[in-house]
Amino acid sequence: MSETKEMQPRYEPAGVEERWQRTWEDEGLYRAVPDPSKTPFVDAHPPPNVTGELHMGHALQLAVGDTIVRMKRMQGYNVLFQPGYDHAGISTQNAVEKALLREGTSRQELGREKFEARVWEWLHEYGGKILVQFRRMGASLDYSRTRFTMDEAYVRAVMRFFVHLYRKGWIYRANRIINWCPYHQTSLSDLELVHVDVDDVLSTIRYPLADGDGHIAIATVRPATIPADVAVAVHPEDDRYKHLVGREVIVPWTEQRVPVIADERVEREFGTGALKITPGHDPTDFAIGRDHGLPEPSCIGLDGLVTAAGLEGLTQKEAEEKILDWCRERGLLEKRESYRHTVALCERCETRIEPLISLQWWCSMEELKRRPLELLRAREIVYHPESQHRFAIDSLENAPDWNISRQIWWGHQLPVWTCPDGHLTVQETEPEACADCGSTELTRETDVLDTWFSSALWPFATLGWPDDTEDLRHFYPGHLQTTAREIIRLWENRMIFSGLELLGEKPFSDVIIHSTVLAPDGRRMSKSLGTGIDPLEVIERYGTDPTRYGLLKNSLTQDVRFSYAAIEEGAKLANKLWNAARLIVTSCEGALPAERPASLEERWILARLSQTQREVERLLGEFDFAHTTDALYHLTFDDFCDWYLEAVKARLYDGDADARATATAALERLLKLLHPLLPHVTEEIWSHLPERETRLIVAPWPEAGGEEEAGALQRVQESAQVFRRSGIVPQLEGDEKRIFDAVVKPERAPQRGGADAEAERARLRKEIARAEGMLANERFVENAPAEVVAAEREKLERYRRELEAVGDA
RNA sequence: GGGCGCAUAGCUCAGCGGGAGAGCGCUCGCUUCACACGCGAGAGGUCCCUGGUUCGAUCCCAGGUGCGCCCACCA
């Protein structure tokens, strides 16, 4: 399938990349088909939010997964790289609501059914955008298998999961304090909040003792919640208040009598050391209240407005004013001081969160987390880098029960029906009648499930579960996951326990937690800061190959700053490779004779290719992309181009058949090693090589041969170094002399003066003195490892040899 | 308040017990028939500070300083 196109001196990714992306997909080379004769390799790529535009983190994530997957595919694995997108409950609902607002209407006006229809409409318009972006990033996903978490089949999996957990007794309904977003009118998990610092006012208010004997002062930033106070708490060891425990105080405004209790969760150092207890509107107070058996009244409604007697319908600010005035009149307001603290906001709309008590659905984690922990501890599932493995274990150990219900409209409605008598019927599909009393007047639970409840099924719901499909049998359990750090607890842990619980096997064995890509100035990339860089714009400018190279050049262990320089390095590598290929292709037209690598430089480059291949296999096995790029960059520039090609160039021009055959073979191997990293340029070059039977993307990964000759050019390279520094031509013979003359071109090199030679001698003498000094140190020779001492001896000999060559004046 | 991580050349970063490295940038020399997104040479560094362990520390340990991220109910 060689195509005879002229190769331009400069490689231009534009056009070439899109062409290959189409070709690979059209020729079905991304397709994954179950085949029992092959070993599967599965990476279920995280489904981005359907509303989203891909950001730099997605680009990195895709590059990481795609690089591994491309190597595996060439190595003969039956690769499934699964694409799709997530319905992203609240985030999607938000986007559509914003659109409705612009049209002058609202979700409430439309009603639930019309709103849902509207979301689907919106999805049909924008939902495909993600996949276009995936393709443009060169991701070799099997697009024919694209799944959506609200597909009919997927919904069935979600319902099955819920019913399964319910029947196990792990799903329950309970009143708990939750994070309530008054704007979205829904509960939110702790992980859906953002915390920001705000300037607030801390008020110190006196609660008179019921027996008239003085007062206790408490400090609060939320006087509006005073009407729901049920106690005042002090630390049990606090000598200031010990004597008051068990007595009663009078709550301002309501003038209710409440007890003084002791609890060690009270911070003695904060404020006055006394804390008002409002279980209905504060998580700490809620916990303390439950432990002390206190009532849980509320004074703030779901809309965030106050409901307390005499304050009905007021905003919290207004209520606060009234209460503070009330206190002031009675001399109970001790002081007001400015106070900076953090508050929780809804991450979607940045509305201040109200902690409220609400009836929610929960999933108990006690049983579900047991086996995942065993597997993680046994390292049957491994997070990379190692620090994230420990974090994953910690976060699972401490996983609280999971609030799985949300009071929004867009999502999977709970498969729970209630009859007028309050019996619950829980089953996958709509029941005819109540399971308990046979009533046919059933109403379905209006809550929907947390988005992550469905995401948790991604590795197998995409394969057809709950049906026993061929896909499932062949492609489950999978292997790789690539994810951002912040969703380990939201997603990774839940995929693991759901896979183990429902299918009995872990969904994957390795999880790569990639780094966060920061803006060039080290700040977070974010739209609101204006620091975001659109990966598609970078791709437009530099090409996909350079972009993924630039992103992968960084280590996984720490956050990295986005760097155009790294991407330009990738562009240079692509261009260098292109030109190396141009030299070989243009001088090697015509039939190829048998390969017979006879000369020193040929044996050397083939050994270097093998050596680097092993290194790349090892590095990618450890998911070390930074060193992979480094090794391949130097292999291409230094070894392949600057030494090997320079050495054989003359023979290629002369039409030496053996040289041409070996050059083509060597280039072929170089292209294979580089393909996972730079898929497009390597495939394009491959298409210019004569008589290729397959596309490079599915060409077999080479067998790494021997490495014995990898050091064969050492003497020539050392001589070159000495010559270039000193101008002194070394004594070499045969192949070594020929290579030296071809690569170093002594006749063309500028004549060096005596100063250079003298500088070189001085350098060598210094090195020799250092090495001699070390070897003269008995304690070094005795205590240092034998190989370290031997290496030092070798160095000494080499320096002496070089000094002799330079002429020890 | 917990947890994790980072401080190495002008910049971005690798190295992590025995010669201080890469890429970019900078200086100098190359109109060498694959490539100037090239080739060659070079300048540039108390490897954050203070102690400790060691024959030997950029690397290990302790403390300090300065950053970053994640988590957390100080009202």
Side-chain angles (χ1 to χ4, degrees), chain A residues 317-334:
Chain A
K317 189 78 201 159
E318 291 162 351
E320 179 177 325
E321 288 303 323
K322 286 214 165 192
I323 292 170
L324 289 176
D325 283 347
W326 191 96
C327 292
R328 209 174 273 126
E329 283 162 18
R330 287 159 183 78
L332 298 179
L333 181 59
E334 201 160 285

Side-chain angles (χ1 to χ4, degrees), chain A residues 11 21 28 37 102 119 139 172 174 225 281 335 375 393 423 450 548 580 588 590 609 612 618 650-651 802:
Chain A
Y11 172 66
Q21 285 155 14
S37 71
R102 281 195 296 272
V119 177
Y172 62 95
T225 62
H281 299 294
K335 62 180 171 183
L375 293 199
I393 291 176
H423 303 134
D450 176 15
R548 66 149 67 190
C588 293
L609 280 160
T612 310
R618 179 180 64 79
R651 288 169 60 208
E802 286 177 20

Side-chain angles (χ1 to χ4, degrees), chain A residues 172 176 189-191 362-366 368-369 394-404 489 493-494 497:
Chain A
Y172 62 95
R176 294 268 176 88
S189 77
D190 291 345
L191 302 163
W362 301 82
C363 177
S364 163
M365 294 308 300
E366 281 315 305
L368 279 172
K369 70 186 183 188
D394 283 354
S395 64
L396 199 51
E397 276 172 348
N398 299 319
D401 281 2
W402 180 13
N403 173 207
I404 55 173
R489 298 185 310 165
N493 287 343
R494 290 168 182 170
F497 70 61

Side-chain angles (χ1 to χ4, degrees), chain A residues 361-406:
Chain A
W361 292 85
W362 301 82
C363 177
S364 163
M365 294 308 300
E366 281 315 305
E367 286 300 313
L368 279 172
K369 70 186 183 188
R370 221 184 50 234
R371 275 199 71 200
L373 279 170
E374 284 168 16
L375 293 199
L376 283 168
R377 291 195 184 110
R379 305 187 67 79
E380 285 186 44
I381 299 173
V382 183
Y383 281 73
H384 310 268
E386 182 58 30
S387 54
Q388 301 304 326
H389 190 77
R390 290 193 299 272
F391 174 74
I393 291 176
D394 283 354
S395 64
L396 199 51
E397 276 172 348
N398 299 319
D401 281 2
W402 180 13
N403 173 207
I404 55 173
S405 50
R406 295 288 181 279

Side-chain angles (χ1 to χ4, degrees), chain A residues 417-420 430-435 437-443:
Chain A
W417 286 263
T418 315
C419 74
E430 178 148 16
E432 302 272 313
C434 173
C437 63
S439 163
T440 53
E441 281 177 63
L442 295 174
T443 47

Side-chain angles (χ1 to χ4, degrees), chain A residues 679-712:
Chain A
H680 306 85
V681 66
T682 49
E683 185 76 85
E684 175 67 12
I685 293 170
W686 185 262
S687 76
H688 286 87
L689 297 179
E691 295 177 15
R692 298 304 96 185
E693 285 174 7
T694 63
R695 297 291 180 202
L696 179 56
I697 184 178
V698 289
W701 190 250
E703 295 288 323
E707 296 168 12
E708 315 78 51
E709 306 269 2

